[in-house]
Amino acid sequence: MKVHFILNGKAVEAEGRPTDRLLDVLRHVFHLTGAKEGCGEGECGACTVLLDGRTVLSCLVPLIQVDGRSVITVEGLAATEKGHAYLERFALKGGTQCGACTPGIVLSGAHLLQEHPHPSHREVAHALAGNICRCTGYQAIQRALSEEPEAVLDSTLLPAADAEREDGS
Amino acid sequence: MKHPPGILGSSPLRRDGLEKVTGAARYLDDLPAEGTWVGATVRSRHPHARIVSLRFDRTKAPADAVFVHAGDIDGVNGLQILDDRWPILASKEVHYVGEAVALVAAPTAEDALRAAAAVEVEYEQRPAVLDWEEAARNEPLYELALDEGRCEAILEAAANGDDGLILVEGEYFTGAQEHLYLETQAMLAEWVDGRLAVTGSMQCPYYVKNALQHVFSLGEDAVQVVGRYMGGAFGGKEDYPSLLAAHAALLARAARRPVRIVYDRHEDIVATTKRHPSHTRIRSAVKKDGTLVAARVDFDLDGGAYLGLSPVVLSRGILHATGPYRVPNVRIRGRVLRTDTPPSGAFRGFGAPQSQFAWERHMDRIGRRLGIDPLTLRRRNVLHPGDRLPTGQLMDASCGAAAALEEAARRGDFLRRWKKAEEDRRRDEPLGRGNRPVATGVGLSLAFHGAGFTGLGEHRMRSPVTVRLTAEGRLEILCAATEMGQGAVTVLPMLAADAAGLRIDDVLIHEPDTDVVPDSGPTVASRTTMVVGATAARAAHELVQRIVQWKEEQMGEAALRVEDSRLLGPGGEIGDFRELAREYLAAGQPDAVTVHNEPPPWQRFDEDSYHGSAYPTYSYQAQVIEVEVDTDTLQVRPTRAVAAAEVGKVLHEVQCRGQVEGGLLQAVGWALWEEMKRKDGQLLNDRMTTYIVPTFLDAPEMEVHLIEEPWEGPPHGAKGVGELPMDGPASAVCAAIENAVGIALDSIPATPERLLDHHIEAAQGGRR
Amino acid sequence: MNPASGLPRTVDEALLRLQERPDTVALAGCTDWMVRDRLARADAPPVIDLLAIEELHGIEEIATPPSEAKRPAGADADPTTPPPLLRIGATTTFGEIRVDRRVVEGYPILAEVASQIGSRQIQNRATLGGNLVNASPAGDSLPVLLALAAEVEIASPDGRRRIPYDAFHLGYRETALGPGELLTAVLLPPPPPHQAFRKVGTRAAVAISKVMVAMAAHSRQGRWSSMRIAAGSVAPVPMRLRAAEKVCEGAPIDVETATEAAEAAWGEVEPIDDVRSTARYRRWALSRVVRRLLLEM
């Protein structure tokens, strides 16, 4: 089947089987390899992306359910000015070590910060509980997200979710 | 040459930081797939069986798929680690569930799986060795011994109640642990004109290269190995990648094109190495005031089916078996037992977490027996400068054991909280009729870790590191150190820049490519910063010194120096280092310097008697861990961990804390949840749904205090920190549970099920 | 019908599709269904997407049909207006349920279980209907639905029908859903004043249940009434702890009742050993949790 969706603010189309994983479509069709397959069964969070503004696991999203929706990946976050600054501070504070969980972690983190600009420790822990990190013990991630200056946390952190549809469908 | 201010001890953005946070970093599976085929592995379903027949039914497989079995190996069918008895592909027998029996490759992952399904293997099952008792009756894979003083006679006296000595005995178990690096094992191989090129996720490119030369009978020039971005390793990519590289290379040869193998999570959990399960028995003689007099430790590791790295894991285990304490009379026996399970391998700590778990739990047992609190007992026995280890090694002034113990105890307010929880427990009986839904407890532990290779390892390696000039006049470090998240690609240039008087931007580090970099040794054993980093610093210093000397000769002027990447003379700034370097290169001067690591000459170790200095120095960590135990469900929530790590010298504070915090949580996971459950040799929890690692919500809040007691050696007295944080926390978790609810567990993980079994047995007036 | 893809946009269209191709799989949040290996996915049967069907989604209060406007004995009676039911569309996600005001206020144990299912990412996709149709013994929301006396609404080519949850979930991964039928909604009767829930999982988050207990009750003059206690992960389907309920019925709200009910619960379950836990532990934890919840509810 052919699906149309908004990917990082741009209208795109993809051809595939209805049950193809969004993760594979992103990685193999669009060559966006930020999202990783850590487990392939929804347990690790390394494949986290935003679907219609909410965090989801792209290894569990079939292509059929992407039609007409908006997808934001870490590459989209990195492409905005504020997103890039947020990511750089995240690295500076030790939020990434091996980096394999990082694309998922920073998306869960960005989503949290947009909803709660000054999250408590518990809010951070709850919001990121679905992202396994095996390197940091989560402490540096906690510090990075708790200390993020509010100035960056407006709607321009993430790419627009509603780009013009080229085909009008 | 003066140090430019602020390089060491600062925390610059890690070199790979931006690529990782933006998703731009390309791990092996992120490389474009065009032109490469996908490999898959056919695995044993039995713990021990004879292979009766092996057949590839081409009619059921995709047309162009290739098939490889043991008969296709024309070199040696053995993985070269310490020996080579671990087969690349099983030929006659299989010895663990998940052992590789055959390989297939096809243009797509789907086709590869269909091809694997077309391989038919007929087995004849054999009796398998699967438990401690049976394994202990057979010939061990390996044995070691260490004797100091007159241990047995003293224990005998203590057993008879002579000399005012008390005998305290205990038995301790730890389970297997899965690394669960987020990036699974991944490798890509290609043959070009008879030359083999391999790249992938690995800690030790030269281990992989040596193993490939062995399997394919190739000369040194015929194999190139390049380490890529690694999505975590923790020891799990020390040994196993050599096997995977051989598999990919066999398939690439058969398919006549590049082949990649990327394990899925299930396969990675089933097939790869794990932390050695351990069984430790300790008999100790103590005075009434808690002073340790003698200890006998029998330390057994389950090595799995093949030897792998087990001898060196055992060695490190026994060298840490009595912790950072004075024990004047010691007798240690270590064995690696053989079972029909996947080979155990390297995992952060490398035997030391297992033996020190047992020792620290034993210290708590002694304290309980004598009525001495955990802190006082440890204070009475902790190593100080001037004391000796069981190997006879004299502790120098940098021995920070007591400093770490005191700092953690004070910052964690240990004694007051421990005593309060003891009183609360005695009063309330939280597991009896007591109505408190949650009981709180606190535990203390202290551990140490020897930095670098054990014994004479570093003397034998004399690791070479090369530093060369690039055309634009920057320095480039050439070494085999790999980046697995720990921060090597950031700290090594920092050390070189500091030593050479350059800004850190002026020092690059080359990717670990065996065609280019010298064999500076594997990235293991907490040795990279201390050994490779120090050597890189010396090489960088040496090269810049030569350039300066050349310039002095050119100018006829003495007393030039380089600071902060500027060339300075007696009259002030003369120029910029990059310009100077380009001038030097243009004059046709040699562009590179190679120096070798020089371990301290006094570090001597007798590998037969196990006496001498097994490591040049040690780092120390104490922790106070607080837990809440749900008295209804016996679920344990670690709420707070206060750790004091004595690491010699902090070079990059953010990364140093990152090591301590990450290792601490890995140890807490091992203590509470992580367990490999097997039935008849089959792994039951072979997925992330059932192999439980801590999430963000499971992690305690941590407070890490870094202490600096520099040792005499380079770099600037820094000691290895990568493994240290894994060694002590598990025991502190068990001690905290004991403090909270009175269940004294001597085996981990401390799952609610195990706590309940222990509680019921104790209530029924069971064995203890 | 979606003009581009030809996929159904209404329940009737979906039912028609299921009739035409009986092997069609109706997908919802996919958090369980997509967990399968590459070959199983490649060889998957035809699928339709229930998330694209607007009428299956959302939470609304609906009037109780007069014939059903009865209340549990002892509850405060209001003879004039029958209280509304809460209708939760089958594809409503746990993320939506977790924050819905009517759920949080009226059925806090449903909001609580929704917040403990998987991770935020899972909650943003997993649906209440999916949890029901999946019919796992460890399905987190199921004991809660049982305790709340939920009903499920099923659409078939012949029309719609409503059955109680315990008549829906028949056995291990087995439901009363016939071929060609769709689960369309869950209906919750008016909220009981006392509710409690506890999930004992493998860890603090992203956990699979070892034991779950959900309870709902009314009370009058310091005594329990209409007590419903449901347990999950201790049998092939979530089960009522009827012996424990019986102990509570009409008994004073106190420690003795809680302790006696806990003992009754101990005796009426036959849990098993599996990869996540042991029979011994499940029985012990279940009994202690029953006591604790009765003390705290």
Side-chain angles (χ1 to χ4, degrees):
Chain A
M1 71 180 296
K2 189 176 275 185
V3 297
H4 297 84
F5 62 104
I6 312 289
L7 177 57
N8 293 327
K10 293 194 182 70
V12 296
E13 63 173 56
E15 180 90 45
R17 286 181 292 219
T19 54
D20 283 350
R21 307 185 301 178
L22 173 58
L23 175 64
D24 294 326
V25 173
L26 292 172
R27 291 173 58 85
H28 301 145
V29 178
F30 295 101
H31 304 291
L32 298 175
T33 54
K36 311 285 183 223
E37 175 170 341
C39 69
E41 53 187 37
E43 294 284 326
C44 78
C47 67
T48 299
V49 300
L50 299 180
L51 181 66
D52 280 355
R54 293 196 183 92
T55 53
V56 302
L57 302 167
S58 61
C59 76
L60 298 183
V61 176
L63 187 61
I64 187 176
Q65 295 183 336
V66 180
D67 193 39
R69 300 182 190 272
S70 158
V71 175
I72 293 172
T73 69
V74 68
E75 290 88 352
L77 174 62
T80 72
E81 199 179 316
K82 291 199 169 176
H84 197 272
Y86 152 74
L87 292 172
E88 185 170 346
R89 274 190 298 274
F90 187 88
L92 198 56
K93 294 205 166 145
T96 183
Q97 286 188 27
C98 87
C101 73
T102 305
I105 295 254
V106 295
L107 277 171
S108 287
H111 183 261
L112 167 73
L113 291 175
Q114 288 212 303
E115 293 199 333
H116 301 276
H118 297 291
S120 68
H121 279 216
R122 286 305 277 176
E123 281 168 338
V124 172
H126 275 281
L128 273 79
N131 294 85
I132 300 286
C133 169
R134 193 62 160 160
C135 293
T136 62
Y138 304 107
Q139 308 297 301
I141 295 167
Q142 175 76 258
R143 288 191 287 273
L145 295 177
S146 307
E147 294 161 16
E148 188 65 10
E150 191 165 2
V152 304
L153 304 174
D154 63 21
S155 58
T156 62
L157 180 61
L158 293 163
D162 54 351
E164 284 292 309
R165 299 294 299 268
E166 281 158 9
D167 55 6
S169 63
Chain B
M1 239 168 276
K2 292 255 177 65
H3 302 143
I7 288 188
L8 298 183
S10 71
S11 295
L13 178 65
R14 51 185 300 144
R15 288 275 165 105
D16 51 1
L18 275 182
E19 282 176 285
K20 283 176 173 175
V21 292
T22 58
R26 291 275 178 275
Y27 300 77
L28 187 93
D29 195 34
D30 301 335
L31 298 177
E34 284 75 28
T36 69
W37 278 19
V38 178
T41 311
V42 179
R43 301 186 180 282
S44 165
R45 284 191 287 268
H46 305 290
H48 184 197
R50 192 173 70 84
I51 299 173
V52 177
S53 69
L54 178 67
R55 200 171 79 86
F56 181 49
D57 186 348
R58 289 197 176 274
T59 62
K60 292 180 185 162
D64 37 9
V66 297
F67 168 69
V68 168
H69 63 97
D72 297 318
I73 298 170
D74 44 16
V76 180
N77 183 12
L79 182 66
Q80 179 62 48
I81 302 180
L82 294 169
D83 68 7
D84 66 354
R85 278 176 286 185
W86 181 350
I88 302 296
L89 290 170
S91 54
K92 297 189 179 72
E93 289 205 329
V94 288
H95 280 288
Y96 59 94
V97 174
E99 182 164 7
V101 174
L103 305 164
V104 293
T108 68
E110 254 173 58
D111 282 350
L113 292 176
R114 291 185 204 283
V119 177
E120 292 162 6
V121 193
E122 194 189 329
Y123 296 98
E124 181 189 298
Q125 289 196 58
R126 294 278 172 87
V129 180
L130 296 169
D131 60 52
W132 284 111
E133 286 89 48
E134 196 180 350
R137 282 197 296 272
N138 299 336
E139 179 84 358
L141 285 168
Y142 195 75
E143 287 179 278
L144 277 177
L146 189 168
D147 289 278
E148 173 74 24
R150 25 187 300 280
C151 182
E152 295 294 352
I154 296 168
L155 290 174
E156 179 87 33
N160 297 329
D162 295 347
D163 303 334
L165 293 176
I166 296 153
L167 185 72
V168 182
E169 296 178 281
E171 191 173 4
Y172 310 91
F173 288 90
T174 65
Q177 185 181 25
E178 160 60 29
H179 305 83
L180 218 98
Y181 29 67
L182 258 279
E183 181 211 21
T184 53
Q185 301 271 352
M187 202 67 67
L188 171 68
E190 180 176 13
W191 294 82
V192 181
D193 303 329
R195 198 163 186 266
L196 172 59
V198 166
T199 182
S201 190
M202 65 184 79
Q203 287 174 242
C204 315
Y206 274 96
Y207 278 8
V208 173
K209 178 172 166 154
N210 292 340
L212 290 170
Q213 284 180 236
H214 195 66
V215 174
F216 294 97
S217 304
L218 291 170
E220 218 179 311
D221 295 339
V223 181
Q224 177 193 21
V225 177
V226 183
R228 300 197 64 79
Y229 273 108
M230 240 185 302
F234 317 111
K237 293 172 183 172
E238 174 172 353
D239 39 19
Y240 199 85
S242 299
L243 185 68
L244 191 61
H247 288 171
L250 284 166
L251 285 171
R253 194 173 61 177
R256 299 172 181 282
R257 49 172 57 74
V259 171
R260 77 169 85 191
I261 305 179
V262 179
Y263 282 179
D264 70 24
R265 179 59 63 187
H266 167 68
E267 186 175 25
D268 198 295
I269 293 178
V270 168
T272 66
T273 56
K274 312 283 168 255
R275 181 185 299 286
H276 289 75
S278 73
H279 174 203
T280 310
R281 283 144 295 158
I282 304 177
R283 279 162 65 84
S284 62
V286 289
K287 293 183 188 165
K288 283 202 171 59
D289 68 354
T291 305
L292 296 162
V293 180
R296 172 171 174 134
V297 181
D298 288 278
F299 180 59
D300 287 346
L301 294 175
D302 179 351
Y306 302 109
L307 190 67
L309 287 162
S310 290
V312 271
V313 175
L314 182 73
S315 169
R316 192 175 276 272
I318 71 167
L319 287 165
H320 291 77
T322 53
Y325 300 100
R326 271 187 318 268
V327 192
N329 301 282
V330 171
R331 184 175 167 86
I332 303 175
R333 293 290 177 272
R335 295 187 296 179
V336 178
L337 305 180
R338 197 201 151 282
T339 58
D340 291 307
T341 58
S344 301
F347 195 147
R348 194 180 210 163
F350 214 67
Q354 290 96 316
S355 62
Q356 291 188 91
F357 169 78
W359 184 259
E360 281 297 277
R361 286 310 286 149
H362 193 72
M363 290 293 280
D364 289 335
R365 177 179 296 250
I366 292 170
R368 198 184 314 136
R369 173 80 176 274
L370 302 180
I372 301 175
D373 71 76
L375 178 59
T376 304
L377 181 71
R378 283 170 175 78
R379 275 181 178 150
R380 194 148 290 156
N381 293 288
V382 68
L383 278 177
H384 289 281
D387 291 334
R388 287 183 188 276
L389 288 174
T391 55
Q393 181 171 4
L394 186 68
M395 296 283 93
D396 66 15
S398 81
C399 171
L405 179 65
E406 295 302 333
E407 182 77 356
R410 184 173 68 84
R411 299 277 193 167
D413 194 12
F414 172 73
L415 208 51
R416 191 186 64 78
R417 292 154 76 127
W418 183 82
K419 283 180 174 162
K420 178 166 189 310
E422 289 286 304
E423 285 162 17
D424 289 351
R425 189 187 75 236
R426 295 215 167 88
R427 191 183 59 239
D428 289 358
E429 286 186 58
L431 297 184
R433 286 280 145 178
N435 232 358
R436 265 191 301 153
V438 168
T440 304
V442 67
L444 171 73
S445 69
L446 172 68
F448 74 149
H449 204 89
F453 269 1
T454 300
L456 300 177
E458 299 293 353
H459 292 263
R460 282 197 206 95
M461 291 208 39
R462 294 192 66 243
S463 293
V465 174
T466 300
V467 169
R468 72 178 178 193
L469 282 173
T470 67
E472 54 176 351
R474 297 207 272 186
L475 260 54
E476 184 173 39
I477 301 169
L478 308 183
C479 68
T482 51
E483 174 61 57
M484 62 190 100
Q486 87 282 34
V489 299
T490 307
V491 169
L492 266 47
M494 284 170 72
L495 286 167
D498 168 72
L502 300 178
R503 287 191 287 268
I504 47 178
D505 295 351
D506 280 328
V507 183
L508 307 173
I509 183 164
H510 198 280
E511 67 180 347
D513 173 348
T514 60
D515 272 7
V516 181
V517 303
D519 182 5
S520 60
T523 305
V524 303
S526 307
R527 67 184 290 276
T528 300
T529 298
M530 208 178 104
V531 174
V532 183
T535 310
R538 273 179 44 231
H541 176 82
E542 173 74 23
L543 179 56
V544 171
Q545 199 72 279
R546 282 189 198 177
I547 296 168
V548 168
Q549 273 165 16
W550 172 82
K551 183 69 177 174
E552 286 174 341
E553 283 161 23
Q554 296 289 303
M555 290 177 67
E557 169 126 44
L560 300 184
R561 64 190 200 279
V562 173
E563 257 184 51
D564 197 25
S565 291
R566 291 171 306 158
L567 179 64
L568 304 176
E573 184 166 345
I574 297 170
D576 167 73
F577 175 76
R578 287 195 202 181
E579 277 169 36
L580 168 66
R582 288 198 295 266
E583 207 182 311
Y584 170 87
L585 284 175
Q589 295 295 313
D591 67 343
V593 166
T594 298
V595 305
H596 290 259
N597 174 44
E598 287 167 10
W602 52 260
Q603 192 223 333
R604 288 283 160 227
F605 187 70
D606 183 326
E607 293 179 341
D608 295 321
S609 70
Y610 261 60
H611 277 74
S613 299
Y615 306 95
T617 188
Y618 299 81
S619 44
Y620 303 85
Q621 183 170 313
Q623 42 269 311
V624 173
I625 296 182
E626 186 177 283
V627 302
E628 287 177 5
V629 183
D630 185 308
T631 60
D632 293 319
T633 63
L634 296 175
Q635 289 170 298
V636 178
R637 192 164 85 84
T639 48
R640 187 158 177 261
V642 179
E646 194 284 289
V647 298
K649 166 86 181 162
V650 179
L651 302 175
H652 186 297
E653 192 189 329
V654 165
Q655 288 184 179
C656 186
R657 279 181 193 283
Q659 286 300 302
V660 176
E661 291 166 350
L664 210 153
L665 186 60
Q666 237 167 27
V668 169
W670 183 48
L672 286 175
W673 303 289
E674 298 184 35
E675 180 170 31
M676 316 247 40
K677 301 177 185 176
R678 289 186 187 279
K679 185 163 186 266
D680 304 329
Q682 307 278 345
L683 188 59
L684 300 177
N685 54 335
D686 51 3
R687 298 181 175 276
M688 273 185 79
T689 320
T690 44
Y691 184 80
I692 306 300
V693 296
T695 70
F696 217 125
L697 270 172
D698 296 290
E701 280 184 30
M702 297 182 201
E703 188 183 307
V704 172
H705 300 278
L706 300 174
I707 306 173
E708 299 183 319
E709 299 282 358
W711 76 294
E712 61 170 65
H716 303 280
K719 306 168 178 177
V721 67
E723 296 168 281
L724 172 70
M726 188 76 216
D727 288 344
S731 170
V733 168
C734 288
I737 295 169
E738 182 180 348
N739 186 224
V741 293
I743 301 175
L745 215 55
D746 293 325
S747 57
I748 51 171
T751 58
E753 288 80 6
R754 182 168 283 146
L755 287 165
L756 177 64
D757 288 345
H758 203 286
H759 172 62
I760 289 173
E761 278 159 25
Q764 289 165 348
R767 285 174 303 211
R768 44 198 90 231
Chain C
M1 205 73 79
N2 180 327
S5 63
L7 288 169
R9 282 284 174 84
T10 67
V11 170
D12 289 342
E13 286 171 4
L15 291 172
L16 197 62
R17 182 63 63 89
L18 292 175
Q19 260 187 309
E20 289 165 3
R21 284 291 307 264
D23 60 337
T24 297
V25 176
L27 299 180
C30 289
T31 53
D32 193 79
W33 194 83
M34 284 292 282
V35 181
R36 52 184 59 208
D37 70 36
R38 198 180 286 275
L39 287 187
R41 226 167 33 240
D43 302 335
V47 295
I48 55 171
D49 176 21
L50 298 181
L51 302 189
I53 299 176
E54 203 50 46
E55 62 187 293
L56 286 175
H57 179 254
I59 302 175
E60 59 178 335
E61 283 178 342
I62 59 168
T64 312
S67 59
E68 297 174 22
K70 59 177 191 292
R71 287 195 145 197
D76 296 335
D78 176 352
T80 51
T81 357
L85 303 180
L86 197 66
R87 182 181 191 278
I88 304 179
T91 63
T92 309
T93 66
F94 288 109
E96 290 159 344
I97 291 170
R98 185 183 82 219
V99 297
D100 185 87
R101 185 186 50 77
R102 292 153 297 187
V103 175
V104 171
E105 287 171 7
Y107 309 90
I109 59 174
L110 183 58
E112 195 178 331
V113 69
S115 75
Q116 290 183 33
I117 288 177
S119 56
R120 288 290 161 88
Q121 291 95 318
I122 295 287
Q123 290 158 23
N124 286 337
R125 296 281 296 166
T127 66
L128 184 61
N131 210 220
L132 277 156
V133 173
N134 200 29
S136 156
D140 282 342
S141 72
L142 308 180
V144 170
L145 298 180
L146 184 55
L148 292 174
E151 293 188 323
V152 299
E153 182 188 276
I154 294 169
S156 69
D158 311 326
R160 302 204 178 195
R161 68 183 201 273
R162 275 166 54 182
I163 57 173
Y165 164 73
D166 45 9
F168 174 79
H169 194 165
L170 302 176
Y172 178 82
R173 296 201 179 261
E174 184 193 344
T175 71
L177 212 55
E181 291 189 323
L182 282 176
L183 186 145
T184 49
V186 171
L187 294 137
L188 297 177
H194 302 281
Q195 300 174 28
F197 171 73
R198 176 74 196 267
K199 168 176 170 174
V200 181
T202 44
R203 63 184 159 198
V206 204
I208 299 199
S209 300
K210 296 173 178 178
V211 171
M212 284 176 293
V213 180
M215 45 180 80
H218 294 257
S219 62
R220 190 174 51 178
Q221 293 164 349
R223 289 174 182 275
W224 293 120
S225 67
S226 306
M227 175 66 75
R228 290 174 69 97
I229 306 179
S233 292
V234 293
V237 293
M239 62 180 284
R240 293 270 294 276
L241 301 180
R242 294 193 186 266
E245 290 175 359
K246 204 172 156 204
V247 167
C248 295
E249 204 57 46
I253 300 175
D254 61 16
V255 181
E256 281 67 36
T257 301
T259 305
E260 205 182 317
E263 277 161 20
W266 179 289
E268 65 182 314
V269 291
E270 283 295 336
I272 56 162
D273 286 343
D274 67 10
V275 65
R276 283 183 286 278
S277 191
T278 62
R280 176 193 246 184
Y281 176 77
R282 287 187 157 112
R283 175 175 273 157
W284 196 81
L286 173 92
S287 172
R288 309 258 315 190
V289 168
V290 164
R291 177 175 179 275
R292 181 68 59 191
L293 293 185
L294 284 169
L295 290 178
E296 290 174 352
M297 184 162 74

